[in-house]
Amino acid sequence: MREAADGGAPGGDPADSGMPESNAAGADRERPGPAGLPGPAGLPSGCAVSPYRDYFLMLLDRIPIPIAVCRADGEVLIANPAMAAQWGAVPGQLRGRNLLDRFRPRDPAQIARIMDALRLGRRSRYPVRVDWRTAPGEAERTGELTIDPVGDPSASPPALLALLREDTPAAPAAPPGPPAASPVEARILALAAGGATTAAIGGALGLTVDGVNYHLTRLSRRWRVQGRTALVAKAYVLGVLAPDRWPPAPALHGDAGARSPGP
């Protein structure tokens, strides 16, 4: 399995291949690695590989999505900095680690099914729901690890390209705004909607005429409307007044009326 993942053909060491070192290096340049690029991806530094592999690694480092190339059993060959950050490490420290050490599949049986499919030569994309923590004590994260077989089609099992996408956390609910109208204002509006005069409203609520006008003026400025008719109409739109009651009355969901939609 290790030989297949390293390049689809046995023998990464020139001494094992029976060829001179220069010929063995040339063979490494010709056969594709797990990432589909020339050269066996994941070999330690110092091995003879094509410059294209260096370009691939440079590109991998710049991609913000967590990515790793691993063997079919999950052993990491290459990881970019974004993937290493999920482990609280640097890329070189992930080589030889196993993805399953960090990412816990929601359905553990799915991993066995994927392994069976790979042994049968099926080259599909496999999304795996996973949970993980970047460090002990931190909040658990959730996301999807997408597994793609890559490299030499003849390799069995193939190497795997793993891309991690973290779920976007739901935005916290906005706190409720201030009430659209105070209890006193809601009662003033209910009486005004029924046709009561300013003096009658004041007498019913124990307010002076100036007190009633003060509340109506504040509502006009807050709701940006002018005139008693417009105030009553806006009160119904905002849910301050119950739409199905006569004589008019404040809405049943609270003496303060509905919550304000903002300025």
Side-chain angles (χ1 to χ4, degrees):
M1 182 180 299
R2 180 179 299 272
E3 291 173 348
D6 275 345
D13 191 327
D16 294 337
S17 67
M19 294 186 298
E21 184 173 352
S22 59
N23 291 339
D28 276 343
R29 292 191 183 96
E30 292 171 0
R31 66 175 184 268
L37 296 174
L43 290 180
S45 60
C47 290
V49 294
S50 166
Y52 289 107
R53 178 175 178 273
D54 294 334
Y55 300 152
F56 167 73
L57 295 177
M58 291 173 59
L59 178 62
L60 193 66
D61 284 349
R62 296 174 183 269
I63 296 176
I65 299 173
I67 300 175
V69 178
C70 60
R71 302 183 191 277
D73 61 0
E75 180 186 340
V76 176
L77 298 172
I78 303 173
N80 70 347
M83 177 62 82
Q86 304 302 318
W87 301 63
V90 295
Q93 295 174 327
L94 264 62
R95 179 171 169 81
R97 303 285 297 271
N98 196 293
L99 288 180
L100 297 180
D101 293 341
R102 173 67 50 170
F103 304 106
R104 302 183 305 279
R106 292 279 183 89
D107 178 11
Q110 185 183 11
I111 302 302
R113 294 194 297 269
I114 293 175
M115 292 296 295
D116 289 340
L118 293 174
R119 279 192 290 267
L120 293 173
R122 296 173 183 167
R123 295 297 190 99
S124 301
R125 177 170 294 174
Y126 303 99
V128 180
R129 296 293 302 171
V130 293
D131 302 312
W132 75 98
R133 285 186 172 91
T134 57
E138 289 196 0
E140 189 167 75
R141 302 185 179 189
T142 61
E144 185 173 274
L145 198 62
T146 303
I147 306 298
D148 272 301
V150 293
D152 189 345
S154 65
S156 181
L160 305 176
L161 182 68
L163 291 84
L164 178 68
R165 288 182 174 85
E166 183 177 0
D167 294 341
T168 302
S182 69
V184 172
E185 291 167 341
R187 290 195 288 271
I188 290 174
L189 290 167
L191 291 168
T197 64
T198 302
I201 293 172
L205 300 180
L207 299 172
T208 64
V209 170
D210 288 341
V212 174
N213 287 330
Y214 167 77
H215 286 291
L216 292 174
T217 300
R218 289 190 64 192
L219 283 169
S220 293
R221 290 173 179 170
R222 188 187 315 152
W223 292 352
R224 299 178 183 176
V225 296
Q226 295 294 328
R228 186 171 298 190
T229 301
L231 279 173
V232 169
K234 189 70 176 278
Y236 278 110
V237 170
L238 295 178
V240 174
L241 299 179
D244 55 353
R245 297 180 64 186
W246 189 266
L252 295 177
H253 49 67
D255 289 339
R259 294 286 171 180
S260 172

